[in-house]
Amino acid sequence: MLDIGNFKINLVNDLIGVKRDPSFVYPNVDEADWNKYKSFAQNTDGTIQSTWRGYLLQTDNKNILIDTGMGPGPYDHFKDGGQFLNNLNNLGFSPEDIDLVFITHTHGDHQGWNITWNENKPKLTFPNAKYLVSKFDFDYYTENPNEDFQRQIFPLKELGALILIEGRNEIAKNVYTLPANGHTPGHQCLYLETNNKEKIILTGDLFHNEAQINEQYWCPIFDWNTVMSTISRVGLLNSAYKNGWIICTGHLSDDKAIGRIRSNENGFYWEPI
């Protein structure tokens, strides 16, 4: 747990994602360019893997979920299905305790527990919450729908829980949305002001792999617009480095999920806290 000022932040893991060949995720990166990152940014078998998770933020008498994982499944690579609600319960919280759900972007691994389906009828998994979703994402995927969006985002509107947001918004005291478009049309981070200088940034999918801390121009196949995603990534990661901000990552392993960007003679590197 991260406990700073008025903020308490806990990881809420769903499950570990599938193993993938780096060349599939980063097709424009030569295999040799991975050599100096293999020991810490790849598995021992050379694959890369993400943790599917969200975060629970406690502040200003509000309980805020940042993303909701991949969902219950079932999944071929994980027999027990998604563990998001179980892990939320392990922190002492029930779905009814959640006041806000902030979705960084509308990809399936960040919204999977928004809606629970029963006999083809949708209901809110977090029944007392309002769900904050980027208007740019909502508009784009309404025109270009996929199954994940249709099942986990679109029903929020008819259930009266959807709030569309754009730009910079204060969603709780000293908690602000931060547009970082590119991974999706409306991808957004969240930043918390602990004091006049220090910030905590919850990055969503600004980057996926630890190697991208230094290789900020590497783009995964999941980025909707690589020019925009690169501008967002380079700008925010360099600001975080210069100011010593704390970063809560979307997909790094539990022991590395929260940290700061540091530098040495070899470039930028990740320092977990």
Side-chain angles (χ1 to χ4, degrees):
M1 182 178 73
L2 188 63
D3 190 346
I4 297 178
N6 295 321
F7 303 115
K8 293 181 180 179
I9 302 175
N10 277 285
L11 280 66
V12 188
N13 286 352
D14 200 10
L15 68 161
I16 305 297
V18 296
K19 291 184 175 182
R20 291 189 170 103
D21 190 302
S23 65
F24 170 77
V25 180
Y26 299 91
N28 297 321
V29 178
D30 292 337
E31 183 178 357
D33 291 334
W34 279 97
N35 287 341
K36 60 182 177 180
Y37 306 109
K38 282 185 175 182
S39 64
F40 58 87
Q42 295 183 0
N43 296 320
T44 55
D45 61 3
T47 61
I48 56 177
Q49 201 168 13
S50 293
T51 298
W52 293 334
R53 71 158 60 89
Y55 286 89
L56 173 66
L57 166 64
Q58 297 169 258
T59 185
D60 193 30
N61 296 317
K62 290 185 174 65
N63 300 318
I64 304 171
L65 283 180
I66 297 94
D67 292 334
T68 64
M70 191 68 164
Y75 300 101
D76 291 338
H77 73 294
F78 196 84
K79 64 179 181 179
D80 294 327
Q83 299 298 302
F84 192 89
L85 295 186
N86 289 337
N87 287 325
L88 184 65
N89 182 69
N90 290 339
L91 294 172
F93 293 85
S94 70
E96 290 77 14
D97 294 326
I98 303 304
D99 300 296
L100 293 173
V101 177
F102 176 80
I103 301 299
T104 60
H105 63 289
T106 57
H107 279 172
D109 57 327
H110 292 259
Q111 63 192 25
W113 286 93
N114 287 355
I115 296 291
T116 300
W117 287 84
N118 185 15
E119 297 181 351
N120 293 321
K121 293 183 179 180
K123 68 174 184 178
L124 301 175
T125 305
F126 309 99
N128 299 318
K130 294 296 184 182
Y131 291 66
L132 309 181
V133 175
S134 164
K135 183 179 186 299
F136 294 111
D137 266 14
F138 187 85
D139 290 347
Y140 179 83
Y141 290 108
T142 297
E143 294 295 324
N144 304 274
N146 57 59
E147 184 179 359
D148 290 332
F149 180 86
Q150 290 177 316
R151 291 183 63 83
Q152 293 296 329
I153 295 293
F154 200 74
L156 298 173
K157 183 176 180 180
E158 63 184 80
L159 293 171
L162 179 66
I163 296 177
L164 295 178
I165 57 176
E166 54 184 310
R168 181 178 180 273
N169 294 267
E170 187 173 19
I171 66 171
K173 186 177 180 181
N174 295 325
V175 179
Y176 301 90
T177 62
L178 180 63
N181 314 75
H183 181 62
T184 63
H187 180 273
Q188 53 190 349
C189 302
L190 204 64
Y191 77 90
L192 288 52
E193 292 187 341
T194 60
N195 54 49
N196 290 334
K197 181 179 180 181
E198 187 175 54
K199 290 184 175 65
I200 301 170
I201 312 291
L202 294 105
T203 59
D205 277 4
L206 192 73
F207 63 97
H208 292 70
N209 185 278
E210 190 176 351
Q212 287 179 277
I213 296 296
N214 193 45
E215 304 290 352
Q216 297 177 5
Y217 287 83
W218 288 10
C219 294
I221 59 169
F222 313 115
D223 282 357
W224 167 74
N225 183 309
T226 56
V227 173
M228 292 175 65
S229 68
T230 300
I231 291 171
S232 294
R233 181 165 49 252
V234 171
L236 187 50
L237 293 186
N238 278 272
S239 291
Y241 164 70
K242 291 175 183 177
N243 294 284
W245 295 340
I246 297 171
I247 294 178
C248 299
T249 69
H251 288 298
L252 298 190
S253 59
D254 289 1
D255 58 331
K256 298 180 178 181
I258 300 175
R260 289 185 172 92
I261 299 174
R262 302 300 193 192
S263 69
N264 57 25
E265 65 276 7
N266 297 315
F268 295 123
Y269 68 92
W270 185 244
E271 181 181 79
I273 61 175

Short mmCIF file of all heavy atoms in Angstrom, two decimals, residues 19-52:
data_model
loop_
_atom_site.label_atom_id
_atom_site.label_comp_id
_atom_site.label_asym_id
_atom_site.label_seq_id
_atom_site.Cartn_x
_atom_site.Cartn_y
_atom_site.Cartn_z
N LYS A 19 1.35 -15.10 -21.65
CA LYS A 19 2.72 -14.90 -22.11
C LYS A 19 2.70 -14.60 -23.61
O LYS A 19 1.99 -15.25 -24.38
CB LYS A 19 3.57 -16.14 -21.84
CG LYS A 19 3.85 -16.39 -20.38
CD LYS A 19 4.79 -17.59 -20.21
CE LYS A 19 5.18 -17.79 -18.75
NZ LYS A 19 6.13 -18.92 -18.59
N ARG A 20 3.52 -13.61 -24.01
CA ARG A 20 3.59 -13.26 -25.42
C ARG A 20 5.05 -13.10 -25.85
O ARG A 20 5.90 -12.70 -25.07
CB ARG A 20 2.84 -11.95 -25.69
CG ARG A 20 1.33 -12.04 -25.54
CD ARG A 20 0.67 -10.77 -26.05
NE ARG A 20 -0.78 -10.89 -26.14
CZ ARG A 20 -1.63 -10.37 -25.28
NH1 ARG A 20 -1.17 -9.70 -24.24
NH2 ARG A 20 -2.93 -10.51 -25.45
N ASP A 21 5.29 -13.38 -27.13
CA ASP A 21 6.59 -13.12 -27.72
C ASP A 21 6.76 -11.62 -27.87
O ASP A 21 5.85 -10.94 -28.37
CB ASP A 21 6.67 -13.82 -29.08
CG ASP A 21 8.07 -13.80 -29.66
OD1 ASP A 21 8.63 -12.69 -29.84
OD2 ASP A 21 8.61 -14.88 -29.96
N PRO A 22 7.91 -11.06 -27.45
CA PRO A 22 8.10 -9.61 -27.57
C PRO A 22 7.93 -9.10 -29.00
O PRO A 22 7.47 -7.98 -29.21
CB PRO A 22 9.54 -9.41 -27.08
CG PRO A 22 9.81 -10.57 -26.21
CD PRO A 22 9.04 -11.72 -26.78
N SER A 23 8.28 -9.93 -30.00
CA SER A 23 8.18 -9.49 -31.38
C SER A 23 6.73 -9.33 -31.82
O SER A 23 6.45 -8.60 -32.77
CB SER A 23 8.90 -10.47 -32.31
OG SER A 23 8.27 -11.73 -32.30
N PHE A 24 5.83 -10.01 -31.15
CA PHE A 24 4.40 -9.84 -31.44
C PHE A 24 3.89 -8.52 -30.88
O PHE A 24 3.15 -7.79 -31.55
CB PHE A 24 3.60 -11.01 -30.86
CG PHE A 24 2.11 -10.80 -30.92
CD1 PHE A 24 1.42 -10.95 -32.11
CD2 PHE A 24 1.40 -10.43 -29.77
CE1 PHE A 24 0.05 -10.74 -32.17
CE2 PHE A 24 0.03 -10.21 -29.82
CZ PHE A 24 -0.65 -10.36 -31.02
N VAL A 25 4.28 -8.20 -29.66
CA VAL A 25 3.79 -6.99 -29.01
C VAL A 25 4.50 -5.75 -29.54
O VAL A 25 3.87 -4.69 -29.71
CB VAL A 25 3.96 -7.10 -27.49
CG1 VAL A 25 3.44 -5.84 -26.80
CG2 VAL A 25 3.24 -8.33 -26.95
N TYR A 26 5.81 -5.88 -29.83
CA TYR A 26 6.61 -4.75 -30.32
C TYR A 26 7.24 -5.14 -31.66
O TYR A 26 8.44 -5.40 -31.75
CB TYR A 26 7.69 -4.37 -29.31
CG TYR A 26 7.16 -3.94 -27.96
CD1 TYR A 26 6.96 -4.86 -26.94
CD2 TYR A 26 6.85 -2.61 -27.71
CE1 TYR A 26 6.46 -4.47 -25.71
CE2 TYR A 26 6.35 -2.20 -26.49
CZ TYR A 26 6.15 -3.15 -25.49
OH TYR A 26 5.66 -2.75 -24.28
N PRO A 27 6.45 -5.20 -32.72
CA PRO A 27 6.95 -5.74 -33.99
C PRO A 27 8.03 -4.88 -34.64
O PRO A 27 8.77 -5.38 -35.50
CB PRO A 27 5.69 -5.79 -34.87
CG PRO A 27 4.75 -4.79 -34.26
CD PRO A 27 5.02 -4.84 -32.80
N ASN A 28 8.15 -3.62 -34.27
CA ASN A 28 9.15 -2.74 -34.86
C ASN A 28 10.45 -2.69 -34.07
O ASN A 28 11.35 -1.90 -34.41
CB ASN A 28 8.58 -1.33 -35.02
CG ASN A 28 7.40 -1.28 -35.97
OD1 ASN A 28 7.40 -1.96 -37.00
ND2 ASN A 28 6.38 -0.51 -35.64
N VAL A 29 10.56 -3.51 -33.05
CA VAL A 29 11.77 -3.55 -32.22
C VAL A 29 12.57 -4.80 -32.58
O VAL A 29 12.06 -5.92 -32.52
CB VAL A 29 11.42 -3.56 -30.72
CG1 VAL A 29 12.68 -3.65 -29.87
CG2 VAL A 29 10.61 -2.32 -30.36
N ASP A 30 13.83 -4.61 -32.95
CA ASP A 30 14.69 -5.75 -33.28
C ASP A 30 14.99 -6.57 -32.03
O ASP A 30 15.10 -6.03 -30.91
CB ASP A 30 16.00 -5.26 -33.88
CG ASP A 30 15.82 -4.64 -35.26
OD1 ASP A 30 14.82 -4.95 -35.93
OD2 ASP A 30 16.68 -3.82 -35.64
N GLU A 31 15.14 -7.87 -32.23
CA GLU A 31 15.42 -8.77 -31.10
C GLU A 31 16.67 -8.34 -30.34
O GLU A 31 16.71 -8.39 -29.11
CB GLU A 31 15.56 -10.20 -31.60
CG GLU A 31 15.79 -11.21 -30.50
CD GLU A 31 15.89 -12.63 -31.02
OE1 GLU A 31 15.72 -12.83 -32.24
OE2 GLU A 31 16.13 -13.54 -30.20
N ALA A 32 17.68 -7.89 -31.07
CA ALA A 32 18.94 -7.49 -30.42
C ALA A 32 18.76 -6.30 -29.50
O ALA A 32 19.50 -6.14 -28.52
CB ALA A 32 19.99 -7.18 -31.48
N ASP A 33 17.77 -5.47 -29.79
CA ASP A 33 17.54 -4.28 -28.97
C ASP A 33 16.99 -4.63 -27.59
O ASP A 33 17.00 -3.79 -26.68
CB ASP A 33 16.58 -3.33 -29.68
CG ASP A 33 17.21 -2.70 -30.92
OD1 ASP A 33 18.44 -2.59 -30.97
OD2 ASP A 33 16.46 -2.34 -31.85
N TRP A 34 16.53 -5.86 -27.43
CA TRP A 34 16.03 -6.31 -26.12
C TRP A 34 17.16 -6.79 -25.21
O TRP A 34 16.93 -7.00 -24.01
CB TRP A 34 15.03 -7.46 -26.31
CG TRP A 34 13.64 -7.03 -26.66
CD1 TRP A 34 13.09 -6.97 -27.90
CD2 TRP A 34 12.63 -6.59 -25.76
NE1 TRP A 34 11.79 -6.53 -27.82
CE2 TRP A 34 11.49 -6.30 -26.52
CE3 TRP A 34 12.58 -6.42 -24.36
CZ2 TRP A 34 10.29 -5.84 -25.95
CZ3 TRP A 34 11.40 -5.98 -23.79
CH2 TRP A 34 10.27 -5.69 -24.58
N ASN A 35 18.36 -7.00 -25.75
CA ASN A 35 19.41 -7.69 -24.99
C ASN A 35 19.66 -7.08 -23.62
O ASN A 35 19.81 -7.79 -22.62
CB ASN A 35 20.70 -7.74 -25.80
CG ASN A 35 20.62 -8.72 -26.96
OD1 ASN A 35 19.76 -9.62 -26.96
ND2 ASN A 35 21.49 -8.56 -27.95
N LYS A 36 19.73 -5.76 -23.53
CA LYS A 36 20.08 -5.15 -22.25
C LYS A 36 18.89 -5.07 -21.29
O LYS A 36 19.06 -4.62 -20.15
CB LYS A 36 20.68 -3.76 -22.46
CG LYS A 36 19.78 -2.75 -23.16
CD LYS A 36 20.54 -1.43 -23.34
CE LYS A 36 19.75 -0.39 -24.09
NZ LYS A 36 20.50 0.87 -24.26
N TYR A 37 17.73 -5.52 -21.74
CA TYR A 37 16.54 -5.49 -20.88
C TYR A 37 16.03 -6.88 -20.51
O TYR A 37 15.14 -7.01 -19.67
CB TYR A 37 15.41 -4.72 -21.58
CG TYR A 37 15.81 -3.34 -22.02
CD1 TYR A 37 15.97 -3.03 -23.37
CD2 TYR A 37 16.06 -2.33 -21.09
CE1 TYR A 37 16.35 -1.76 -23.78
CE2 TYR A 37 16.44 -1.05 -21.49
CZ TYR A 37 16.58 -0.78 -22.84
OH TYR A 37 16.96 0.48 -23.24
N LYS A 38 16.59 -7.92 -21.15
CA LYS A 38 16.06 -9.26 -20.96
C LYS A 38 16.04 -9.70 -19.51
O LYS A 38 15.11 -10.37 -19.06
CB LYS A 38 16.86 -10.27 -21.79
CG LYS A 38 16.51 -10.28 -23.27
CD LYS A 38 17.27 -11.38 -24.00
CE LYS A 38 16.83 -11.47 -25.46
NZ LYS A 38 17.53 -12.56 -26.16
N SER A 39 17.07 -9.33 -18.76
CA SER A 39 17.21 -9.84 -17.39
C SER A 39 16.12 -9.35 -16.46
O SER A 39 15.87 -9.97 -15.42
CB SER A 39 18.59 -9.47 -16.83
OG SER A 39 18.71 -8.05 -16.71
N PHE A 40 15.45 -8.25 -16.79
CA PHE A 40 14.44 -7.72 -15.88
C PHE A 40 13.12 -7.37 -16.56
O PHE A 40 12.12 -7.18 -15.86
CB PHE A 40 14.96 -6.46 -15.15
CG PHE A 40 15.39 -5.34 -16.05
CD1 PHE A 40 14.48 -4.40 -16.51
CD2 PHE A 40 16.72 -5.22 -16.45
CE1 PHE A 40 14.88 -3.36 -17.33
CE2 PHE A 40 17.12 -4.18 -17.25
CZ PHE A 40 16.20 -3.25 -17.71
N ALA A 41 13.09 -7.31 -17.90
CA ALA A 41 11.85 -6.92 -18.59
C ALA A 41 11.21 -8.09 -19.35
O ALA A 41 10.20 -7.91 -20.01
CB ALA A 41 12.14 -5.78 -19.56
N GLN A 42 11.83 -9.27 -19.26
CA GLN A 42 11.28 -10.47 -19.87
C GLN A 42 11.28 -11.61 -18.86
O GLN A 42 12.02 -11.58 -17.87
CB GLN A 42 12.09 -10.88 -21.10
CG GLN A 42 12.05 -9.91 -22.26
CD GLN A 42 12.82 -10.41 -23.47
OE1 GLN A 42 13.40 -11.50 -23.46
NE2 GLN A 42 12.84 -9.61 -24.53
N ASN A 43 10.46 -12.62 -19.12
CA ASN A 43 10.53 -13.85 -18.35
C ASN A 43 11.79 -14.62 -18.74
O ASN A 43 12.44 -14.32 -19.75
CB ASN A 43 9.29 -14.71 -18.62
CG ASN A 43 8.01 -14.05 -18.16
OD1 ASN A 43 7.98 -13.43 -17.10
ND2 ASN A 43 6.94 -14.19 -18.94
N THR A 44 12.13 -15.62 -17.95
CA THR A 44 13.33 -16.40 -18.24
C THR A 44 13.23 -17.14 -19.57
O THR A 44 14.25 -17.48 -20.17
CB THR A 44 13.59 -17.43 -17.12
OG1 THR A 44 12.42 -18.24 -16.94
CG2 THR A 44 13.92 -16.72 -15.81
N ASP A 45 12.01 -17.39 -20.06
CA ASP A 45 11.84 -18.05 -21.35
C ASP A 45 11.79 -17.06 -22.51
O ASP A 45 11.51 -17.44 -23.65
CB ASP A 45 10.59 -18.93 -21.35
CG ASP A 45 9.31 -18.15 -21.11
OD1 ASP A 45 9.35 -16.90 -21.00
OD2 ASP A 45 8.22 -18.78 -21.03
N GLY A 46 12.04 -15.78 -22.23
CA GLY A 46 12.08 -14.78 -23.29
C GLY A 46 10.75 -14.13 -23.62
O GLY A 46 10.69 -13.23 -24.46
N THR A 47 9.70 -14.57 -22.98
CA THR A 47 8.38 -13.96 -23.22
C THR A 47 8.21 -12.73 -22.34
O THR A 47 8.98 -12.49 -21.41
CB THR A 47 7.25 -14.97 -22.92
OG1 THR A 47 7.32 -15.35 -21.52
CG2 THR A 47 7.37 -16.20 -23.79
N ILE A 48 7.19 -11.96 -22.65
CA ILE A 48 6.79 -10.86 -21.79
C ILE A 48 5.36 -11.09 -21.34
O ILE A 48 4.59 -11.79 -21.98
CB ILE A 48 6.94 -9.49 -22.49
CG1 ILE A 48 6.13 -9.45 -23.80
CG2 ILE A 48 8.39 -9.17 -22.76
CD1 ILE A 48 6.18 -8.09 -24.48
N GLN A 49 5.03 -10.49 -20.21
CA GLN A 49 3.75 -10.80 -19.56
C GLN A 49 3.33 -9.60 -18.73
O GLN A 49 4.16 -8.91 -18.13
CB GLN A 49 3.94 -12.04 -18.66
CG GLN A 49 2.70 -12.78 -18.31
CD GLN A 49 3.04 -14.14 -17.69
OE1 GLN A 49 4.20 -14.40 -17.32
NE2 GLN A 49 2.06 -15.01 -17.58
N SER A 50 2.03 -9.34 -18.71
CA SER A 50 1.49 -8.22 -17.96
C SER A 50 0.61 -8.72 -16.82
O SER A 50 -0.01 -9.79 -16.91
CB SER A 50 0.64 -7.32 -18.87
OG SER A 50 1.42 -6.68 -19.84
N THR A 51 0.56 -7.93 -15.76
CA THR A 51 -0.43 -8.16 -14.71
C THR A 51 -1.66 -7.33 -15.04
O THR A 51 -1.57 -6.14 -15.33
CB THR A 51 0.12 -7.73 -13.33
OG1 THR A 51 1.27 -8.53 -13.03
CG2 THR A 51 -0.92 -7.94 -12.24
N TRP A 52 -2.82 -7.96 -15.02
CA TRP A 52 -4.08 -7.25 -15.24
C TRP A 52 -4.60 -6.80 -13.88
O TRP A 52 -4.90 -7.63 -13.01
CB TRP A 52 -5.08 -8.16 -15.94
CG TRP A 52 -4.68 -8.50 -17.35
CD1 TRP A 52 -3.89 -7.77 -18.18
CD2 TRP A 52 -5.03 -9.68 -18.07
NE1 TRP A 52 -3.74 -8.40 -19.39
CE2 TRP A 52 -4.43 -9.58 -19.36
CE3 TRP A 52 -5.80 -10.81 -17.79
CZ2 TRP A 52 -4.58 -10.56 -20.34
CZ3 TRP A 52 -5.96 -11.78 -18.76
CH2 TRP A 52 -5.35 -11.65 -20.02
#
